[in-house]
Amino acid sequence: CAVKYLDKATKLSTDKKKAFASEIQEALAILKKAPASFRKNDPTVKIYPEAEIPEIPSRNPLYPAMSDAVTFKYEEGRGRYAIANRDITVGEIVTVEKAIVSHMLPEYMGKNCTHCFKVMKAPYPCFTCTKVMFCSYKCRKIACETYHRYECKLIDLFLGSGMSIICFLAYRSITQKSLKWFKENKDKLENHNERSGETK
């Protein structure tokens, strides 16, 4: 059905139409291989097991996401930096934290979930663009209600420009938060204390 309507897209070049048709066929092939239960638009279906998050035995009192083996210092001209205050053994977990901002490399878009980066078993498409896919109803809902609604119509421009992944990350660091959040945190952002978090 989607391939049929490409013929009506008069503003697209022949090469663009072929590229879109190829992407659609690839997505349909993945969907056909998925189990029937995954093809239903059911938000309660769990496609992936819950992730096992490693534990930090002894946490840093100022940074609970980090081990107490890490100490933070500050120097003029150098800024804030971290050092080890004891020997850290091979394989020891030093930090477990959700990334402040993340974005997959462009070559994985359409193959991995745009939100959680997992390899997809039964992808959920974006309602508007063809460049991104999601592994679940939940991931699509979170993305489309936050950052993706701003990125959606600009993805082709970003990819075509050849900009680096740093630019994608910079843009998402803004789009993932609401205007209300920036207004509420305006003072913190404008009057940031460089020495905050320094271990006394």
Side-chain angles (χ1 to χ4, degrees), residues 23-43:
E23 287 176 9
I24 292 167
Q25 294 293 355
E26 187 179 332
L28 287 172
I30 295 170
L31 285 169
K32 284 178 183 177
K33 293 177 183 177
S37 60
F38 291 169
R39 293 198 295 268
K40 295 176 183 176
N41 195 14
D42 182 359

Side-chain angles (χ1 to χ4, degrees), residues 125-130 148 152-153:
C126 168
F127 296 109
T128 307
C129 72
T130 61
H148 188 62
C152 189
K153 295 178 182 178

Side-chain angles (χ1 to χ4, degrees), residues 159-200:
L159 293 173
S161 71
M163 63 172 58
S164 77
I165 192 65
I166 302 300
C167 299
F168 284 92
L169 286 169
Y171 188 62
R172 184 164 293 179
S173 69
I174 302 298
T175 60
Q176 68 184 2
K177 298 290 186 183
S178 66
L179 177 60
K180 181 184 176 184
W181 185 90
F182 283 103
K183 285 181 175 179
E184 289 174 349
N185 292 276
K186 182 180 177 182
D187 290 338
K188 289 181 181 178
L189 295 170
E190 287 183 341
N191 304 304
H192 173 64
N193 178 7
E194 290 188 355
R195 302 194 73 136
S196 66
E198 182 183 7
T199 305
K200 303 300 182 185

